[in-house]
Amino acid sequence: QKEVEQDPGPLSVPEGAIVSLNCTYSNSAFQYFMWYRQYSRKGPELLMYTYSSGNKEDGRFTAQVDKSSKYISLFIRDSQPSDSATYLCAIGGSSNTGKLIFGQGTTLQVKP
Amino acid sequence: GAVVSQHPSRVICKSGTSVKIECRSLDFQATTMFWYRQFPKQSLMLMATSNEGSKATYEQGVEKDKFLINHASLTLSTLTVTSAHPEDSSFYICSASVQGEEAFFGQGTRLTVV
């Protein structure tokens, strides 16, 4: 079993739709949960960063962590064509030293 | 956020030659730098962790003699792919962090070995 599982998609939605992206993980010791966005041939950029459980909102983006289920989600409201990218979940251990385990990434396409 | 610069962004080299990739933290001092590798349509896989002034820690299955990492200063880490072969062709990405803080990623280097 992989430490982090993420459906690679692709996921295609119309502009304005609500997008739900998800990952599951296996090790309950993980404490740091991130979502990165990666455009083609570019390095990943951090979107959301959550420590432990709970929700975090930033503009159109909401990250949720359910540690009891080992399940993390990223919601994108009012999706835009510019949101088309690959979204990677990443988890970190008990101390966030930047050593991360990444999911496979979900490719999202938002059609105008 | 902080800026991490990676150079070159793209490189093509002949099989058997060595290639050096630089990772610089431009506006902060990075105590730790990480090197990842990403194959097409796959996720980032951590190759090694380097702390300034000490030897890098390699992940299982990564050949330390093939992927030489030097972290000589708090703003620069280099990855040298020695005796490159076509199977080493990949997207290499570095990240830099200050201990206990988030990591910032470089823009990546696409290596093609012909």
Side-chain angles (χ1 to χ4, degrees):
Chain A
Q1 182 186 11
K2 291 182 180 178
E3 289 190 279
V4 181
E5 299 268 7
Q6 184 177 7
D7 186 340
L11 180 62
S12 182
V13 301
E15 183 176 355
I18 296 174
V19 177
S20 173
L21 303 167
N22 311 290
C23 287
T24 59
Y25 62 95
S26 59
N27 190 337
S28 58
F30 291 127
Q31 296 283 351
Y32 295 85
F33 307 93
M34 289 85 157
W35 284 95
Y36 287 85
R37 178 173 60 195
Q38 186 177 24
Y39 292 109
S40 180
R41 302 181 181 182
K42 300 290 185 183
E45 56 176 323
L46 182 66
L47 278 178
M48 302 288 285
Y49 170 19
T50 308
Y51 173 73
S52 194
S53 285
N55 295 355
K56 189 171 185 179
E57 187 172 323
D58 183 3
R60 296 185 295 112
F61 299 89
T62 300
Q64 288 185 353
V65 176
D66 181 349
K67 292 195 71 179
S68 62
S69 302
K70 300 191 189 72
Y71 192 84
I72 61 175
S73 302
L74 177 71
F75 298 96
I76 307 174
R77 292 184 299 278
D78 188 24
S79 56
Q80 303 294 311
S82 57
D83 294 329
S84 299
T86 296
Y87 290 81
L88 297 142
C89 64
I91 56 177
S94 56
S95 61
N96 181 23
T97 61
K99 182 175 178 179
L100 302 173
I101 301 171
F102 283 84
Q104 189 175 351
T106 300
T107 300
L108 171 67
Q109 184 181 20
V110 181
K111 294 183 176 179
Chain B
V3 179
V4 175
S5 176
Q6 200 171 329
H7 179 80
S9 58
R10 304 183 73 164
V11 58
I12 300 172
C13 71
K14 291 185 177 180
S15 186
T17 62
S18 295
V19 175
K20 180 184 285 188
I21 302 169
E22 294 186 346
C23 180
R24 294 181 183 272
S25 55
L26 297 186
D27 51 3
F28 69 103
Q29 293 186 323
T31 51
T32 309
M33 288 188 174
F34 304 86
W35 288 95
Y36 292 83
R37 182 174 181 177
Q38 186 177 34
F39 289 107
K41 298 186 179 181
Q42 294 189 26
S43 189
L44 285 75
M45 298 297 294
L46 181 66
M47 297 175 66
T49 303
S50 74
N51 293 294
E52 184 265 339
S54 60
K55 288 184 178 180
T57 302
Y58 290 81
E59 296 299 304
Q60 190 174 8
V62 178
E63 298 176 60
K64 62 180 181 180
D65 294 330
K66 181 168 185 62
F67 298 100
L68 301 179
I69 292 172
N70 184 280
H71 192 164
S73 76
L74 285 171
T75 59
L76 174 65
S77 176
T78 60
L79 168 68
T80 301
V81 183
T82 63
S83 187
H85 288 95
E87 58 263 32
D88 297 325
S89 299
S90 188
F91 194 51
Y92 292 87
I93 307 174
C94 71
S95 71
S97 74
V98 177
Q99 187 73 19
E101 301 293 331
E102 81 175 79
F104 298 93
F105 283 82
Q107 64 268 47
T109 297
R110 183 161 301 281
L111 169 64
T112 303
V113 184
V114 298

